[in-house]
Amino acid sequence: MSDFFERLDKYMEYKGLNDNKITVETGISVGLIGKGRKRGGLSQENIAKLLYGCPDLNANWLFKGEGNMLIEDQIFLSSEINWKKIIKSQEELVEILKKQTTK
């Protein structure tokens, strides 16, 4: 589970958190992150609290190292595609309206 804690450290560094701050923000008992590092893991309950308290943290990335660290990155990328489609359809609509008004 060392990769788990390496990724958690990367997330905490990105967010400007330390072990104490993240335990306070997520409702995990103070000191459990440090104890988890020594034991090699956290309980399912504490991992659930961690993920619930950090809604932008991608669980798949945290556990497996797959995907983006932040969920919002994935949402933004998919939203960007949708915005491009919306913009294109709006431009087409404007062209249609221009043709109708010039007749």
Side-chain angles (χ1 to χ4, degrees):
M1 223 172 179
S2 64
D3 290 341
F4 172 90
F5 284 106
E6 288 171 10
R7 286 188 287 275
L8 180 60
D9 286 341
K10 184 176 180 179
Y11 173 79
M12 290 190 320
E13 182 180 342
Y14 175 79
K15 298 294 273 190
L17 301 170
N18 58 31
D19 286 2
N20 187 51
K21 285 181 184 177
I22 200 163
T23 57
V24 170
E25 286 189 13
T26 59
I28 297 171
S29 297
V30 174
L32 278 181
I33 299 284
K35 289 177 186 175
R37 288 178 201 284
K38 291 176 185 171
R39 286 190 312 234
L42 294 171
S43 70
Q44 289 179 347
E45 179 183 348
N46 287 318
I47 290 172
K49 286 181 181 179
L50 179 70
L51 292 171
Y52 183 78
C54 303
D56 62 339
L57 178 57
N58 181 348
N60 202 35
W61 175 82
L62 182 62
F63 289 113
K64 300 181 194 177
E66 296 174 358
N68 296 319
M69 177 175 66
L70 302 177
I71 292 173
E72 65 188 14
D73 287 349
Q74 294 168 348
I75 293 168
F76 178 75
L77 290 174
S78 64
S79 296
E80 185 176 291
I81 294 167
N82 292 337
W83 280 112
K84 286 179 181 178
K85 287 180 182 179
I86 291 169
I87 290 169
K88 184 177 179 185
S89 68
Q90 292 295 318
E91 288 172 343
E92 291 171 355
L93 179 60
V94 167
E95 288 303 314
I96 291 170
L97 290 173
K98 281 182 183 178
K99 288 177 183 176
Q100 288 178 350
T101 56
T102 57
K103 289 182 179 179

